[in-house]
Amino acid sequence: MNNSTIVAANGAEVKKKRKFFSRWDAPLAGYLFIAPWLIGFFGLTAYPMFLSLYYSLTDYTLLEPIKWIGLRNYTRIFTDDPRFTQSVKVTFQYVLASVPLKLIAALLVATLLNKAMKGISFYRTAVYFPSLIGGSIAVSILWRNIFGVDGIFNEILSIFGIVGKGWITNPGSALWTLILLTVWQFGSAMVIFLAGLKQIPNDLYEASSVDGANKVLQFFKITLPMLSPIIYFNLIMGVINSFQMFTSAFVITNGGPMNSTYVYALYLYERAFSRYELGYASALAWIMLVMIVIVAAIIAGTSKYWVFYETDTGGKKRK
């Protein structure tokens, strides 16, 4: 091999390397395009998160200088805070009831609206609309009036000879009024389910019909398995949102009666903005984050047993 061949080979290799790394030669344009996201992420997400982590290790009350106390806030929370235990209990009750009911309602309505009929777009929009306004203060006030002693719900019950009660002021039913409000806001999950239903090939239903499968069997043997990735996504998002529920509990019941609706986010708000214990509230916020991560990890760990993808082979579990 002569020198010219060696030089040509080296030149080709250098050219190939330059071509591979050319995307990094002038990254300024790319950084300029993603600058709004970077500013938002570091300024509005990352920096506040790490600042709250620092505050959780301090005695910070806005009225006095910040004092470093280490893990003392976390120790107080787990050993000497009965309201923390109560709020966690109520929050898990709320999550365990609201998330499955919301998913079931969204899936059933999506199945009903997955048809080609006149005016179907209007019905889909009408069903989705509560998700846009459901988290507003106005809707929470309206919900409080609906389930009050003189509310329209009791008036409807009186037509059938049933004597109503103060559903919001009763400890046994107050939390269920908040759960019902959450289930009513199933529109977003319904739209995602509807998109998933449209991706299921009709050939599967036609072949199963030939084999004698009815609608119920098709739903459990075809629809649910094919929708399992979407169910998984909606489940994760529902759990995250439910843990952070605040507006309806604050406006409708304010944690009452008898702390039956005293959810975790409401307790965190009270510590931060009523007692001005911002360090303590920051510790509560990080505990909430850890709880959400643990629950999401459990769901993700079990997903290999019930979530099926197109790449899965029949009869084999994913590893």
Side-chain angles (χ1 to χ4, degrees), residues 18 30 103 129 146 167 169 182 196 209 221-222 245 264 297 300:
R18 285 180 177 176
L103 291 181
F129 186 71
I146 289 175
W167 302 95
T169 57
T182 301
S209 298
K221 295 297 184 179
I222 298 177
M245 192 274 289
Y264 194 92

Side-chain angles (χ1 to χ4, degrees), residues 103 188-189 192-193 227-240 299 306-307 309:
L103 291 181
S188 297
I192 299 174
F193 277 133
L227 284 180
S228 58
I230 298 177
I231 296 174
Y232 173 59
F233 172 79
N234 280 334
L235 178 60
I236 291 290
M237 297 304 298
V239 167
I240 294 173
I299 296 173
W306 59 275
V307 179
Y309 298 96

Side-chain angles (χ1 to χ4, degrees), residues 216-261:
V216 176
L217 193 60
Q218 289 177 350
F219 179 80
F220 285 101
K221 295 297 184 179
I222 298 177
T223 305
L224 286 183
M226 295 293 290
L227 284 180
S228 58
I230 298 177
I231 296 174
Y232 173 59
F233 172 79
N234 280 334
L235 178 60
I236 291 290
M237 297 304 298
V239 167
I240 294 173
N241 293 330
S242 295
F243 266 102
Q244 302 177 75
M245 192 274 289
F246 169 76
T247 303
S248 57
F250 178 72
V251 175
I252 298 176
T253 61
N254 196 25
M258 298 176 62
N259 294 329
S260 61
T261 61

Side-chain angles (χ1 to χ4, degrees), residues 40-58:
F41 175 75
F42 288 107
L44 302 177
T45 303
Y47 175 72
M49 281 185 63
F50 286 106
L51 191 61
S52 71
L53 180 60
Y54 166 72
Y55 286 152
S56 71
L57 303 174
T58 64

